[in-house]
Amino acid sequence: RPLISIVMPVYNPPLDLLDAAISSIKQQIYPHWELCIADDASTNPEVWLLLQRLALSDKRIKTVRRETNGHISQASNSALALASGEFIALMDNDDILPPDALYWVAEATVRTPHVQVIYSDEDKLDSHGERFDAYFKSDWNYTLFLGHNMISHLGVYRTQLVRDVGGSYKPSQNDSIECFVGGCLAGTLKISSMNRAIVCLHTEMQK
């Protein structure tokens, strides 16, 4: 029963989407998780107030507020510094996890004990909460990965692997998750896919 640390950088998201993202984590049937959130100096004070309120409601939620805006790279590293789990899951502040998402992550770690990277299918949500444009991913295909980030959402990494490659992203590589994933893959052959859409992305934040 591994502890899964969910790393979430936050910057001025719509409060309803942030609340929904965190609520989807609290509703997981797999209880062994912690949520590590870094507020990247949001200019909306309501963001930090909401995070503080949610942290008080569940001791598994850890928060830190950055003094300056460092963008996704530095914010992710600030959240990563809070993590104590064996695995790290990267989650955006508008993603939604179905209730069984982390159960299947944990199941993959049992099925493949030495796994280093886990990824899932993904889906999108429109403004009415309806699913569309599902991405059903293949088993691991390095050639396909070279063409685009096939791991994307939900990507889960063994914590030691992440620390070995120097954290999440380099400050000069904002928004370049492919650089981070490439660094992880350079040192591992143990990769597992889950053919389940265990994460949904709100399209309002994808513009």
Side-chain angles (χ1 to χ4, degrees), residues 88-161:
I88 289 171
L90 302 181
M91 183 170 172
D92 288 346
N93 57 201
D94 63 330
D95 288 349
I96 296 292
L97 297 183
D100 59 348
L102 296 184
Y103 168 84
W104 292 113
V105 172
E107 189 273 341
T109 69
V110 173
R111 175 166 40 88
T112 313
H114 301 294
V115 68
Q116 300 290 305
V117 179
I118 303 167
Y119 64 96
S120 75
D121 295 336
E122 62 187 67
D123 211 345
K124 295 183 176 65
L125 294 173
D126 63 19
S127 58
H128 302 290
E130 298 295 329
R131 293 190 180 201
F132 74 101
D133 196 24
Y135 179 12
F136 300 109
K137 302 172 186 174
S138 67
D139 288 339
W140 176 241
N141 183 323
Y142 184 67
T143 301
L144 181 59
F145 168 75
L146 292 177
H148 78 300
N149 181 13
M150 67 174 290
I151 293 180
S152 190
H153 305 259
L154 180 70
V156 181
Y157 307 84
R158 192 173 290 274
T159 303
Q160 189 56 52
L161 175 65

Side-chain angles (χ1 to χ4, degrees), residues 160-182:
Q160 189 56 52
L161 175 65
V162 175
R163 302 201 190 283
D164 287 346
V165 298
S168 58
Y169 319 103
K170 301 300 183 184
S172 61
Q173 296 172 342
N174 289 330
D175 299 318
S176 184
I177 182 66
E178 291 86 350
C179 295
F180 162 59
V181 176

